[in-house]
């Protein structure tokens, strides 16, 4: 089956431009230097209708959904519970009312750790006592090794983010690994035979919970996908100049970039 992958956002947790910053990237006129918080969108057709899954709902989710022209969402997969990946959850509300009319709440696939954060942060949505009448109609679902959503399989790919174990995802011959500082040895077999891999590449200076550009290039070489895209990009990396320095088949992604994927 063929689908479409879209980068909803490719920026680091603070977004680019970064508030209060006047650096060359933050004041750049290149639209590819404007990066919302990290998220991807996956769309495909099944049984004559479009299916839509997003990975993470960060603080820019509403703007990203408008920009992508989304009318509905079938499921959300969460990588982890940090603010730049979850804080837009409440903006699922209008989509969730549509989903409820079509048959049920929107499933949110999250690890136990991530579900605990979502439950605490959005207490007014998830608490058994929640009665707020227009709360999001969403349902937390345990994230398993392997989940089938409307005909496609989504595999959990464990990665390390600082001291946390978080989730990347593989669908068909594409994998999305954001926010990682270490790819455990046991994860590499899950990354064989990829057409496309998406990796964190924050900046050049080391960071405790994100790969640098050089680390990400080394992973890209080892994984050997036909194309590697970098995401979760900080304002230290200008789009055009950085891309000129990267090996063939490796490039910074940018918001709105869309390409077909085999699912
Ligand atoms: Zn992040
Ligand atoms: Zn800046």
């Amino acid at each position: 089956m063929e689908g479409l992958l879209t980068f909803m956002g490719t920026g680091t947790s603070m977004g680019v431009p970064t508030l209060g910053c006047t650096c060359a990237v933050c004041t750049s006129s290149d639209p590819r230097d404007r990066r919302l918080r990290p998220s991807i969108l996956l769309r495909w057709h099944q049984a004559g209708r479009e299916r839509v899954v997003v990975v993470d709902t960060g603080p820019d989710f509403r703007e990203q959904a408008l920009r992508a022209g989304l009318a509905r969402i079938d499921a959300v997969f969460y990588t982890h519970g940090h603010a730049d990946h979850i804080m837009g959850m409440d903006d699922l509300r209008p989509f969730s009312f549509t989903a409820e009319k079509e048959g049920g709440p929107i499933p949110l696939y999250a690890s136990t750790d991530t579900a605990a954060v979502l439950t605490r942060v959005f207490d007014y949505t998830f608490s058994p006592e929640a009665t707020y009448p227009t709360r999001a109609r969403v349902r937390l679902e345990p994230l398993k090794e392997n989940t089938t959503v409307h005909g496609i399989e989504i595999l959990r790919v464990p990665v390390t983010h600082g001291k946390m174990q978080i989730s990347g995802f593989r669908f068909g011959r594409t994998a999305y690994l954001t926010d990682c500082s270490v790819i455990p040895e046991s994860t590499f077999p899950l990354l064989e035979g990829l057409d496309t891999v998406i990796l964190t590449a924050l900046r050049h200076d080391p960071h405790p919970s994100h790969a640098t550009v050089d680390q990400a290039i080394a992973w890209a070489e080892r994984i050997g996908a036909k194309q590697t895209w970098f995401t979760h990009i900080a304002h230290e990396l200008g789009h055009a100049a950085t891309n000129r320095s990267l090996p063939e088949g490796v490039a910074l992604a940018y918001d709105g970039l869309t390409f077909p994927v085999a699912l």
Side-chain angles (χ1 to χ4, degrees), residues 24-83:
V25 176
C26 288
T27 55
S28 160
S29 57
D30 184 341
R32 297 166 305 176
D33 282 324
R34 296 187 76 86
R35 304 170 185 137
L36 298 180
R37 264 57 73 86
S39 170
I40 57 165
L41 164 68
L42 207 52
R43 284 175 284 189
W44 69 98
H45 279 87
Q46 182 236 18
R49 69 177 304 174
E50 187 179 52
R51 297 297 181 183
V52 182
V53 162
V54 292
V55 178
D56 293 330
T57 53
D60 298 315
F61 174 71
R62 179 176 174 278
E63 193 60 37
Q64 291 165 330
L66 289 169
R67 205 160 64 170
L70 295 189
R72 50 190 304 284
I73 279 193
D74 291 288
V76 180
F77 282 73
Y78 283 100
T79 58
H80 64 302
H82 281 163

Side-chain angles (χ1 to χ4, degrees), residues 16-18 21-27 235-236:
V16 180
T18 300
C21 185
T22 56
C23 80
V25 176
C26 288
T27 55
H235 63 157
E236 284 90 342

Side-chain angles (χ1 to χ4, degrees), residues 11-14 37-38 56 79-80 82-85 161 166 178-180 200 202 209-210 232:
T12 188
S13 55
M14 292 189 281
R37 264 57 73 86
D56 293 330
T79 58
H80 64 302
H82 281 163
D84 52 326
H85 300 261
H161 177 41
I166 69 161
T178 187
D179 293 69
C180 46
T200 284
L202 185 73
S209 40
H210 292 276
H232 214 293

Side-chain angles (χ1 to χ4, degrees), residues 83-138:
D84 52 326
H85 300 261
I86 66 162
M87 290 310 285
M89 194 290 291
D90 201 61
D91 285 323
L92 289 171
R93 287 191 298 147
F95 293 144
S96 79
F97 304 146
T98 309
E100 196 177 43
K101 278 189 213 127
E102 289 177 359
I106 298 176
L108 311 182
Y109 293 93
S111 70
T112 312
D113 291 352
T114 306
V117 177
L118 286 166
T119 305
R120 191 176 75 241
V121 172
F122 300 101
D123 170 71
Y124 58 89
T125 303
F126 295 108
S127 158
E129 285 90 54
T131 54
Y132 181 51
T134 58
R135 66 189 179 280
R137 272 37 174 190
V138 291

Side-chain angles (χ1 to χ4, degrees), residues 153-207:
E153 245 188 1
I154 300 186
L155 260 62
R156 177 174 181 261
V157 178
V159 294
T160 306
H161 177 41
K163 294 195 164 97
M164 293 166 76
Q165 295 308 311
I166 69 161
S167 305
F169 298 102
R170 176 176 179 152
F171 25 91
R173 297 197 300 273
T174 301
Y176 179 63
L177 309 182
T178 187
D179 293 69
C180 46
S181 44
V182 172
I183 301 177
E185 274 308 309
S186 55
T187 284
F188 281 98
L190 300 173
L191 303 173
E192 283 169 12
L194 291 177
D195 288 339
T196 308
V197 67
I198 300 158
L199 300 170
T200 284
L202 185 73
R203 61 188 191 195
H204 292 295
D205 288 342
H207 185 282

